[in-house]
Amino acid sequence: ASNNATTITFTAPTGITAGDFLALLVTTGSTTGGDDWTTPAGWTKEFFYGDATSDSTICLMWKIADGSETDITFTGLSSINQHAGWYMRFSGVDESTPIDVEGSVQIAGSGTSIAAPSVVTNTGNALVVAVMAVDQYDSYPVSLSGSSSGEFTFGDTCHGGTTSTGSSAGFATRVVNPAGASGTAAFAHARDDGMIAMQFALKPVVA
């Protein structure tokens, strides 16, 4: 989902069943790095990163599904910011401690590429998610750079806004087994502007 209005709706993923890990991975193009996102009832805001240097932000909110979840609408967003992101469903994630590790954040005030720093997972078969956001618009989609290490697979790119004040974001994933370093995930785009990138990992159910 994406827009540059004061309201945005994220469509619930199909096939939600009780016990699934649900993630709202959302980004903002913001010159101040302010947090626009109010955590929905029943959800946990795991992290929010961004500042005036990055001109963009990354936020993760999550919950363990009970099977009744529907679309989520955020209201009261800043009209001068641009918003984009994903509502995702993951199965096989540990319900009691779903986040295996959260990595460090890379911020740059300019450039056309950025690398999300490697994380070291604690559990074998952890799913690592690398995400980046940049203060740019939809004429400049995000892609996974060939300089990425490891075995990351690009997931998607999305955009908020349609002008030079818009924002773009992208994510990539890989499974790390046995537990260890994920390697960097390098993202590229065409417009020179502020950007932010990081990685986190989901802990799998261990039999």
Side-chain angles (χ1 to χ4, degrees), residues 8-94:
I8 187 171
T9 297
F10 291 90
T11 302
T14 59
I16 294 175
T17 59
D20 285 345
F21 178 85
L22 302 180
L24 283 163
L25 186 57
V26 294
T27 67
T28 303
S30 168
T31 57
T32 64
D35 187 356
D36 268 356
W37 305 101
T38 299
T39 309
W43 288 69
T44 296
K45 182 176 287 188
E46 183 68 25
F47 59 73
F48 173 88
Y49 295 115
D51 58 24
T53 299
S54 64
D55 278 350
S56 48
T57 69
I58 294 171
C59 178
L60 173 66
M61 293 168 279
W62 63 267
K63 74 169 295 188
I64 303 300
D66 60 21
S68 66
E69 288 76 15
T70 58
D71 299 351
I72 293 178
T73 297
F74 291 90
T75 60
L77 302 174
S78 171
S79 61
I80 64 172
N81 294 337
Q82 302 78 38
H83 310 91
W86 304 270
Y87 187 173
M88 299 185 286
R89 176 183 69 87
F90 300 91
S91 59
V93 177
D94 186 277

Side-chain angles (χ1 to χ4, degrees), residues 82 135-138 140 161-167 191 193:
Q82 302 78 38
D135 186 27
Q136 65 171 349
Y137 55 110
D138 55 0
Y140 301 101
T162 56
T163 73
S164 58
T165 59
S167 63
R191 185 168 185 263
D193 214 327

